[in-house]
Amino acid sequence: MTQYVAAIDQGTTSTRCMVFDHSGGVVAADQMEHRQIFPRAGWVEHDPEEVWGNTREVTARALAKADLTAGDIAAVGITNQRETTVVWERSTGRPVHNAIVWQDTRTDAICQELAGRGGGQERYQSTTGLPLATYFSGPKIRWILDEVSGARDRAEAGELLFGNMDTWLLWNATGGPNGGQHITDATNASRTLLMNLDTLSWDGDICAEMGIPTAMLPEIRSSSEEYGRVRERGVLSGVPIAGILGDQQAATFGQACLSVGEAKNTYGTGNFVLLNTGNDKVMSRNGLLTTVCYKIGDRRTVYALEGAIAITGALVQWLRDNLGLIASAPEVEDLARTVDDNGGCYFVPAFSGLFAPYWRSDARGVIAGLTRFVNKGHLARAVLEATAFQTREVIDAMNADSGVPLKSLKVDGGMVANELLMQFQADILGVPVIRPVVAETTALGSAYAAGLAVGFWSGEDDIRANWAKDKQWDPTMDEETREREYQNWKRAVTRTFDWVQ
């Protein structure tokens, strides 16, 4: 009897496999980091073959830790860093270029060229829900076809395939060149700048304008159905892969934000706030994205408003790896607690420009307010506060778009273990911040999608019943201090503009 569901969580810095029981509890987990490749300033790449190798390894180790075999697993779900772009050979499975990561800014000239044809950044927004920005997959595909010798001719001849990381893993897991399924789900497709939000199909006119042959694009399916079974040589041989959700949508699902008006914030490499808007797509007037939240089988599509922040947890990594001020990420909290406040220092981490609500690719990072008084403790505190300030900006935009002020915020992801950050987040928002028992809800959400497809869970009520609160932080900061600190932050943000000419 199958007792468990497995999830592959392919993130920006690592890949993990997690196994869940019917109550949503973690039975086993394993995780491996992969290399971050920076060929030049603003460029970020991953090796897709390294990621696929790590995926196989963490899956085998997770099963071994709980002494499980494929026969114990009812289904597999996949969740992934969304806009990261892979193009590979159909016949061999070899990538023609490293994966171009969502944070990468090399496609700025392509975006400006397309915007210059009329409509500016909003050229495709009414169709796709997205502004023209380096963040999304479409311009990255175009760059690969333009810059890799022979790639465009091969793509037009049907020899090359495109996928975000979900598609790359699914294709390989179901056989690769030997019958691999070339499929994505609507949440990932909605992050390409190529999909019509109403029809959930590729938009031929936009693809033609970007110079992307539709033959290289995967089939778009729902987020919860059987796409294929794991290849014979895999440790999960024969198990159905039955759920795909982009990472932020998966976290929304795992947090049981299944009703209109419910929202969550995931604290990972970047931060992503999603607000469930139900079957109605709400077009933002305040710099947010309109995106597919999830689509379960043949049920109606559920949409969301999203505020995407490029650099949050990645800033802690930068403090560790580039400056060497800490030896491990958790140490940032201890260092920040050595001071009582930020000492007047504000850190705006516009390393890849600014995402929501600004969408300024010309911005670059700034540390403002430095004096001789500021020490490394103040800098660590400013690093953490940057995450909370950026979240406040997105929540303000979301409140304006929805017309319904947020009353509390569900949080998940690696950084929610940082209690200093969680308290400051509640203080700067002025609303309670709530952490669930299972903080890694991204993997859990994709497990739910897969389990629903095979009947392991009977419906959304099971998901709601599984959600449980671990801890809540209530605001303690007075209104005057809150608004003064926020206005100082906003002034620091303006110093990042127009840096790239």
Side-chain angles (χ1 to χ4, degrees):
M1 178 180 169
T2 54
Q3 306 173 66
Y4 308 107
V5 172
I8 306 299
D9 181 357
Q10 203 299 292
T12 307
T13 59
S14 68
T15 305
R16 83 182 78 197
C17 176
M18 301 187 77
V19 180
F20 297 93
D21 62 20
H22 196 269
S23 68
V26 179
V27 174
D30 197 78
Q31 182 171 0
M32 290 181 71
E33 289 194 2
H34 53 263
R35 288 177 301 140
Q36 305 296 310
I37 303 165
F38 305 106
R40 61 178 74 173
W43 290 28
V44 190
E45 297 177 358
H46 295 154
D47 177 349
E49 293 182 302
E50 179 190 5
V51 170
W52 169 232
N54 288 0
T55 301
R56 299 199 306 274
E57 191 164 336
V58 297
T59 303
R61 294 202 310 224
L63 290 180
K65 284 178 179 179
D67 196 23
L68 301 176
T69 69
D72 297 306
I73 307 298
V76 183
I78 295 174
T79 183
N80 60 295
Q81 48 166 328
R82 296 171 296 181
E83 300 79 8
T84 296
T85 299
V86 189
V87 175
W88 69 92
E89 296 175 346
R90 183 191 298 270
S91 61
T92 67
R94 283 195 298 265
V96 302
H97 192 273
N98 275 339
I100 302 180
V101 178
W102 56 273
Q103 300 159 313
D104 191 286
T105 59
R106 76 185 69 185
T107 58
D108 192 40
I110 292 172
C111 293
Q112 289 185 32
E113 175 222 312
L114 292 166
R117 299 185 187 186
Q121 260 192 321
E122 291 76 42
R123 180 170 179 81
Y124 306 127
Q125 195 144 8
S126 62
T127 301
T128 67
L130 310 175
L132 253 172
T134 59
Y135 182 21
F136 305 110
S137 310
K140 301 181 198 300
I141 304 171
R142 157 84 177 271
W143 187 93
I144 291 172
L145 297 184
D146 286 349
E147 300 297 328
V148 175
S149 177
R152 179 167 299 284
D153 289 342
R154 297 185 68 194
E156 288 173 353
E159 296 174 14
L160 300 185
L161 301 176
F162 152 75
N164 293 333
M165 279 295 187
D166 64 307
T167 302
W168 168 247
L169 294 185
L170 176 68
W171 188 81
N172 279 291
T174 54
N178 301 308
Q181 298 299 303
H182 189 219
I183 290 169
T184 191
D185 89 303
T187 66
N188 278 287
S190 74
R191 314 300 295 191
T192 60
L193 260 177
L194 304 174
M195 189 192 83
N196 183 302
L197 266 186
D198 293 312
T199 63
L200 306 190
S201 59
W202 302 118
D203 187 287
D205 292 338
I206 296 177
C207 290
E209 271 202 11
M210 283 203 200
I212 296 169
T214 55
M216 69 186 303
L217 304 179
E219 179 186 355
I220 301 171
R221 303 266 282 271
S222 82
S223 309
S224 178
E225 61 177 272
E226 185 176 325
Y227 313 107
R229 293 187 175 243
V230 176
R231 66 200 181 109
E232 285 185 13
R233 292 179 65 84
V235 293
L236 289 173
S237 177
V239 176
I241 302 175
I244 300 175
L245 284 163
D247 52 9
Q248 304 314 317
Q249 288 91 338
T252 307
F253 208 64
Q255 281 273 39
C257 294
L258 306 175
S259 300
V260 175
E262 293 185 320
K264 68 87 202 178
N265 190 18
T266 297
Y267 295 72
T269 302
N271 265 38
F272 302 87
V273 186
L274 263 72
L275 174 73
N276 184 325
T277 63
N279 302 128
D280 298 322
K281 60 185 180 88
V282 177
M283 303 307 288
S284 176
R285 304 176 305 280
N286 295 283
L288 302 179
L289 309 176
T290 304
T291 195
V292 175
C293 193
Y294 54 87
K295 178 172 170 53
I296 302 304
D298 57 5
R299 296 184 218 166
R300 292 180 66 193
T301 306
V302 175
Y303 295 95
L305 278 172
E306 176 175 331
I309 304 165
I311 302 291
T312 55
L315 185 55
V316 177
Q317 282 187 317
W318 181 86
L319 201 68
R320 180 193 69 189
D321 298 339
N322 293 47
L323 295 192
L325 288 185
I326 53 176
S328 65
E331 290 178 23
V332 71
E333 182 172 6
D334 294 333
L335 183 56
R337 286 189 184 278
T338 63
V339 294
D340 295 328
D341 55 36
N342 61 23
C345 171
Y346 299 84
F347 196 148
V348 187
F351 295 166
S352 302
L354 289 170
F355 284 11
Y358 300 101
W359 299 106
R360 295 287 298 254
S361 61
D362 62 343
R364 286 298 179 269
V366 161
I367 305 174
L370 288 178
T371 62
R372 283 289 299 271
F373 173 70
V374 172
N375 63 34
K376 61 184 180 180
H378 297 116
L379 192 60
R381 198 165 185 114
V383 163
L384 294 180
E385 291 182 357
T387 293
F389 283 129
Q390 290 181 100
T391 298
R392 164 75 186 268
E393 290 184 304
V394 166
I395 294 292
D396 283 356
M398 205 161 267
N399 288 341
D401 275 338
S402 69
V404 182
L406 196 71
K407 291 183 172 60
S408 64
L409 184 65
K410 288 181 175 179
V411 299
D412 56 72
M415 290 183 82
V416 301
N418 190 311
E419 303 212 351
L420 180 64
L421 170 60
M422 293 297 98
Q423 182 59 58
F424 188 77
Q425 185 69 86
D427 286 341
I428 211 67
L429 287 177
V431 301
V433 168
I434 303 168
R435 181 175 72 193
V437 171
V438 179
E440 295 301 341
T441 54
T442 305
L444 180 58
S446 69
Y448 281 149
L452 286 172
V454 300
F456 186 81
W457 286 288
S458 60
E460 293 178 1
D461 286 345
D462 281 352
I463 297 171
R464 289 187 177 94
N466 280 351
W467 190 90
K469 178 170 75 174
D470 174 50
K471 188 164 183 177
Q472 176 171 319
W473 290 266
D474 295 314
T476 58
M477 186 180 286
D478 65 82
E479 183 69 20
E480 181 182 349
T481 303
R482 176 185 300 128
E483 293 312 309
R484 182 180 66 247
E485 287 296 303
Y486 187 49
Q487 291 311 310
N488 285 344
W489 163 263
K490 299 281 275 187
R491 283 196 297 148
V493 170
T494 65
R495 306 304 198 265
T496 71
F497 296 162
D498 301 313
W499 192 262
V500 177
Q501 299 297 319

